Amino acid sequence: MNLRGLKRLAAVTCLLAVLSGCTFFSDPVSQMKSPRLSEDKATLMAAISSLTPLPSALLRPVNDDDSLIFTEDLNKDGVMETLVFYETPGEAVQIHGMILEKQGEAWVKKLVFDGDGTVLESVNLRDLTGDGHLDIIVGYSRGEEKGLVVYSYSSGALEEILRLPYTEYIIDDLNDDGQLDITVVYFKRNEFATVTTYQYSGEFKILDKLDDLDPYFNNYYNIVSGKVAENKEGIILDAAVDSHSAYSYMVVMENNKLRVAVPGDARTYKDRRINSEDIDGDGIIEIGLLEMPKGWEYFDPETIPYFNAYYKWDGKNGLAFSALQYRDPADRFVIKFPAEWHGNVTVDTKSVQDKSLKFIMSDTGETVAEVAFFSPTDWERSKSEGWELLGRGADKFIGYRGKLEQSINGGSSNKITAPIERKGIDE
């Protein structure tokens, strides 16, 4: 076997190893028996390897930890297509996309197209045009500039139907009309911050645009979309003011008009970045805020063990409390408190960050949870005093004891059940 053949064989072997845990086939193929699936995967890998130039490497989108290869029936004609992207370093055009089609037992190259950038940011396959076919939505970047391109694939041909600069994009149905729309967030520090929603009707048209948003912050560190209230879709944007502080605001669409439902003002300002997310698992996204424990009002802010409190939009112009946590600033552990304790549970003012924390009920003074940091020597002694391992730092053991227990422990208990997340434990 010549050198090129050996390289191809090595590439196929590597691809099989990388993708052995990935689910990149849609339903028709995934229903095959296991031996047939393995054979078909090997055939696909061999085809990709033989059709990509040397030297090149397959690209995984930055926003996706799993997908390297996308296999779907793009134009819903009963024939499967596979989409891959690969990189050719050193060339004028560095990113290329390739579409293969399943013909009998073989995979045949249908077309190759040039990408627009040096980094593959994202790949989504969604029906944005409403014709029942899957469109290809790709984010590219070159340095700090990012570009969004939407392609339509039909009858072996690829058509570019939208091209826009962007900071982030969201595919949703914000106006609740049954057709997907795409909302583009575009930001340049101290210059502009816009949110624009597009929908396809013969071509992409602007449904509405917000172009008077405050651009005077560092960057968006988190953007999420989904349900923000019962039967209401929206977008929450978490903006970093500087290296620590942040605020959040929420955008919804009503009667095809975008509006800021929760502004980025003092109500959502926090001295530490907190991601907005569905913290309680009910399908509705919450905004995270920092809350000072009772009794700490006159302490140095740098020493205060803040709670993370999460709030839902009330559907009007306010926020309603949802969940309470203590999240270690170094992200080594999280303690989740029952929602009904909000406003009553606090931290003993004798507590010291990275030494010892005592969580108490402010009305009774009862201790409900304790966290302490131990040297390796002290930790061995502390285990006989009821301490459980919660986390581990570079030279410290983090111990926990109290009335809150890990939800994963199971079994019967008289303790109040609330999850405790242990992070970074190296048993």
Side-chain angles (χ1 to χ4, degrees):
M1 183 179 292
N2 60 26
L3 179 60
R4 182 179 178 86
L6 287 171
K7 289 182 177 180
R8 291 293 184 196
L9 179 60
V12 171
T13 304
C14 291
L15 283 169
L16 285 170
V18 168
L19 291 167
S20 60
C22 298
T23 56
F24 58 91
F25 290 101
S26 60
D27 287 344
V29 179
S30 65
Q31 293 171 358
M32 293 179 179
K33 295 180 181 179
S34 296
R36 184 70 181 88
L37 178 60
S38 299
E39 180 183 336
D40 194 61
K41 184 188 293 186
T43 301
L44 175 58
M45 296 303 98
I48 292 171
S49 180
S50 66
L51 294 170
T52 51
L54 287 175
S56 67
L58 292 189
L59 290 175
R60 189 187 310 275
V62 172
N63 76 333
D64 196 324
D65 292 333
D66 297 319
S67 299
L68 192 67
I69 292 177
F70 304 84
T71 298
E72 293 281 355
D73 181 0
L74 294 176
N75 50 7
K76 303 302 178 183
D77 60 356
V79 178
M80 301 299 290
E81 284 88 19
T82 286
L83 169 68
V84 295
F85 288 85
Y86 61 89
E87 180 181 27
T88 52
E91 295 186 2
V93 178
Q94 296 185 26
I95 296 178
H96 310 269
M98 180 170 63
I99 295 177
L100 300 88
E101 186 177 281
K102 186 71 181 295
Q103 295 183 1
E105 299 301 312
W107 288 91
V108 177
K109 179 173 70 176
K110 298 299 291 185
L111 59 87
V112 172
F113 60 98
D114 291 340
D116 186 15
T118 56
V119 176
L120 182 66
E121 293 285 343
S122 61
V123 178
N124 284 284
L125 304 178
R126 306 291 293 277
D127 180 12
L128 286 180
T129 57
D131 62 358
H133 298 179
L134 294 176
D135 302 300
I136 303 169
I137 304 102
V138 186
Y140 303 101
S141 69
R142 187 187 305 272
E144 295 184 358
E145 297 298 319
K146 296 169 72 174
L148 165 70
V149 183
V150 179
Y151 306 94
S152 176
Y153 177 76
S154 181
S155 302
L158 193 70
E159 178 186 4
E160 183 181 301
I161 55 177
L162 182 67
R163 176 184 289 265
L164 293 167
Y166 81 105
T167 299
E168 190 59 76
Y169 66 87
I170 299 101
I171 300 170
D172 209 323
D173 181 11
L174 286 185
N175 63 351
D176 196 29
D177 67 348
Q179 181 178 336
L180 290 178
D181 42 56
I182 184 165
T183 299
V184 176
V185 178
Y186 189 30
F187 164 77
K188 283 196 175 180
R189 183 181 178 186
N190 299 333
E191 294 184 34
F192 58 80
T194 64
V195 176
T196 311
T197 300
Y198 298 83
Q199 193 168 57
Y200 191 85
S201 179
E203 62 181 356
F204 280 99
K205 298 176 182 178
I206 294 176
L207 281 179
D208 197 29
K209 181 179 183 178
L210 294 175
D211 56 8
D212 57 352
L213 300 173
D214 178 11
Y216 299 105
F217 57 92
N218 273 357
N219 62 282
Y220 292 113
Y221 66 91
N222 182 53
I223 298 176
V224 289
S225 69
K227 287 194 179 301
V228 294
E230 288 293 338
N231 303 315
K232 189 64 180 176
E233 299 289 311
I235 302 167
I236 300 178
L237 301 103
D238 297 326
V241 177
D242 50 34
S243 59
H244 298 287
S245 59
Y247 65 83
S248 302
Y249 63 95
M250 179 189 298
V251 174
V252 298
M253 177 168 277
E254 296 171 350
N255 299 318
N256 282 349
K257 293 293 183 182
L258 293 169
R259 81 174 181 94
V260 178
V262 178
D265 56 19
R267 289 179 297 170
T268 65
Y269 179 85
K270 42 243 176 184
D271 287 323
R272 185 186 304 157
R273 297 182 186 184
I274 303 176
N275 285 359
S276 296
E277 57 182 308
D278 176 15
I279 199 71
D280 57 4
D282 68 349
I284 298 174
I285 303 168
E286 287 88 13
I287 292 176
L289 303 176
L290 279 184
E291 287 195 2
M292 182 186 298
K294 286 182 180 179
W296 289 80
E297 291 80 4
Y298 301 105
F299 284 74
D300 180 350
E302 295 294 324
T303 68
I304 297 174
Y306 288 97
F307 289 113
N308 281 19
Y310 294 85
Y311 288 78
K312 287 184 174 67
W313 180 45
D314 63 6
K316 299 176 182 177
N317 292 302
L319 297 170
F321 172 78
S322 179
L324 185 70
Q325 297 181 352
Y326 176 81
R327 184 175 291 268
D328 175 51
D331 202 30
R332 293 166 292 191
F333 62 90
V334 178
I335 300 177
K336 302 176 182 180
F337 297 95
E340 58 268 24
W341 287 11
H342 183 232
N344 193 14
V345 67
T346 186
V347 183
D348 190 304
T349 54
K350 300 184 187 67
S351 299
V352 178
Q353 292 269 21
D354 281 342
K355 289 188 178 180
S356 65
L357 296 168
K358 183 182 288 188
F359 299 91
I360 62 174
M361 305 303 286
S362 58
D363 57 349
T364 64
E366 177 190 9
T367 299
V368 295
E370 293 179 87
V371 174
F373 293 73
F374 299 91
S375 68
T377 301
D378 290 341
W379 172 246
E380 291 303 315
R381 183 179 68 253
S382 71
K383 287 190 287 187
S384 64
E385 300 171 355
W387 292 96
E388 302 174 33
L389 184 62
L390 183 59
R392 186 177 295 177
D395 57 353
K396 296 286 185 181
F397 287 80
I398 305 171
Y400 166 83
R401 65 183 178 187
K403 292 193 172 184
L404 301 174
E405 65 177 3
Q406 289 190 96
S407 60
I408 61 173
N409 283 348
S412 61
S413 174
N414 293 323
K415 292 182 179 181
I416 299 168
T417 302
I420 297 175
E421 295 183 15
R422 303 178 177 187
K423 300 189 175 185
I425 298 177
D426 184 16
E427 299 282 13

